[in-house]
Amino acid sequence: MSLRIFYHPHYSALVLPERHRFPLAKYQALFERLGDLGYPLAEAPPASRDQIARVHDADYVDAALQGRLDQAAIRRLGFPWSPLLIERTLRSVGATLAASRHALEQGCGLQISGGYHHAHRDFGSGFCLFNDLVIAARTCLDEGRCERVLIVDLDVHQGDGSAALCAGSRDIITLSLHGEHNFPRHKPASHLDFALPSGMGDDAYLETLAQALSLALRLHAPDLILYQAGVDVHRDDELGYLSLTDAGVRQRDAMVFDYAVRHGLPIAAVPGGGYRRDWQQLIPLHLSLFEEARRRFD
């Protein structure tokens, strides 16, 4: 087995309005930190329009790529449109796909961005233009690399886009643990949803996660896991209402990787959300994902 982490320099290159809530600079900082620590990094190829249009509405895809989204759509997305936004998005979707392909070949792949789980079939939302997780899953299935994909979404916000895109699907299964009273207001049903009360701490969270993973693997028998590892479950996150500690976040990541190893399942992981004005505090939390992967797969 060999670990590989995909990235692109454009991840932190967008120009956003002053005091925008999205912590864009964290991606470049995380890339530099991983490089300093000797992690195996590879530049991500872009996703293609056809790969994206296998999941999203073709008219929506073309409008997004060509800069024809209306102002209401731009407001819902939360990012101003620009050619760089499109390049960044295509590279990020491509990185999640590359990490998934690598996982199927070598056991585990990761990327530094990704986790755009609020993107629906014909609109973007919550900083998510195209749903990289579902696109990667669908592409790997179409290529005959696997037969059933489990998306394990542990961001504090429910993956409403993933749930809606995969409703009724038998080959892409969605599992979400999320804050019951957090964004989005309307939460479409995932295959398995665990709505968590505000203030839940490490022990209760980890117990729930263990039960959720066991249930998902028993009911659906996936042959690939895609893991959305948002750190906005942390007690100090400014947009999350759960109360995990640094140690709890690390134990969560370790548990997901251990389940994959124990069941012989390839796993691809993306960092997902995390929101603090002092974004540098997010780096150690995100770094635990890569450290726990390295301990098991490198």
Side-chain angles (χ1 to χ4, degrees):
M1 294 188 294
S2 67
L3 189 66
R4 189 171 298 170
I5 301 167
F6 296 87
Y7 81 103
H8 194 270
H10 286 169
Y11 283 172
S12 291
L14 284 181
V15 177
L16 297 178
E18 187 177 357
R19 298 188 64 79
H20 194 282
R21 289 309 304 266
F22 196 77
L24 197 66
K26 73 177 182 179
Y27 299 107
Q28 182 64 26
L30 186 57
F31 165 70
E32 292 173 359
R33 182 68 175 140
L34 291 168
D36 290 344
L37 293 171
Y39 280 79
L41 297 162
E43 187 168 307
S48 71
R49 178 203 173 276
D50 289 346
Q51 288 166 343
I52 296 168
R54 285 283 289 119
V55 168
H56 291 282
D57 176 79
D59 290 340
Y60 166 65
V61 173
D62 290 338
L65 294 179
Q66 298 166 18
R68 293 188 285 102
L69 296 175
D70 62 29
Q71 286 304 305
I74 293 296
R75 284 195 299 271
R76 190 169 194 173
L77 173 63
F79 281 145
W81 189 92
S82 68
L84 189 56
L85 172 65
I86 297 305
E87 176 66 15
R88 182 188 188 277
T89 301
L90 294 178
R91 292 285 184 169
S92 191
V93 174
T96 301
L97 174 54
S100 302
R101 287 169 170 162
H102 186 79
L104 286 161
E105 295 171 358
Q106 298 291 335
C108 183
L110 302 100
Q111 79 130 318
I112 293 174
S113 179
Y116 301 124
H117 58 169
H118 298 310
H120 286 247
R121 177 168 174 77
D122 58 359
F123 65 90
S125 176
F127 312 136
C128 303
L129 185 64
F130 300 136
N131 196 308
D132 60 308
L133 298 162
V134 179
I135 293 167
R138 176 54 57 203
T139 302
C140 287
L141 289 162
D142 288 349
E143 293 173 347
R145 296 172 181 263
C146 53
E147 295 182 356
R148 183 169 293 158
V149 181
L150 173 64
I151 296 176
V152 176
D153 193 332
L154 302 188
D155 196 274
V156 79
H157 305 108
Q158 193 230 23
D160 56 323
S162 301
L165 285 166
C166 299
S169 169
R170 295 186 177 183
D171 54 5
I172 305 178
I173 307 302
T174 53
L175 163 63
S176 178
L177 272 67
H178 54 267
E180 180 179 12
H181 301 294
N182 211 318
F183 178 88
R185 183 178 61 81
H186 173 63
K187 298 175 175 62
S190 308
H191 290 82
L192 295 167
D193 274 312
F194 293 79
L196 309 177
S198 297
M200 177 178 275
D202 292 351
D203 292 345
Y205 184 96
L206 294 169
E207 181 180 351
T208 303
L209 176 57
Q211 295 171 354
L213 290 171
S214 294
L215 182 63
L217 295 179
R218 185 169 68 250
L219 289 180
H220 298 289
D223 49 9
L224 171 64
I225 294 175
L226 302 187
Y227 173 33
Q228 212 276 30
V231 300
D232 41 15
V233 295
H234 192 272
R235 62 187 179 187
D236 294 330
D237 195 86
E238 294 165 8
L239 298 182
Y241 305 143
L242 301 183
S243 296
L244 272 67
T245 64
D246 291 25
V249 172
R250 181 178 293 275
Q251 288 174 291
R252 177 202 66 171
D253 294 340
M255 182 182 291
V256 176
F257 286 126
D258 282 341
Y259 264 83
V261 171
R262 189 176 308 130
H263 293 274
L265 296 174
I267 181 169
V270 302
Y275 301 93
R276 299 192 202 178
R277 293 294 183 190
D278 184 5
W279 58 264
Q280 295 185 20
Q281 296 180 15
L282 298 170
I283 302 304
L285 294 174
H286 283 309
L287 195 59
S288 70
L289 175 72
F290 299 90
E291 291 171 343
E292 295 304 317
R294 191 182 217 179
R295 289 177 181 177
R296 291 157 179 82
F297 294 97
D298 196 22

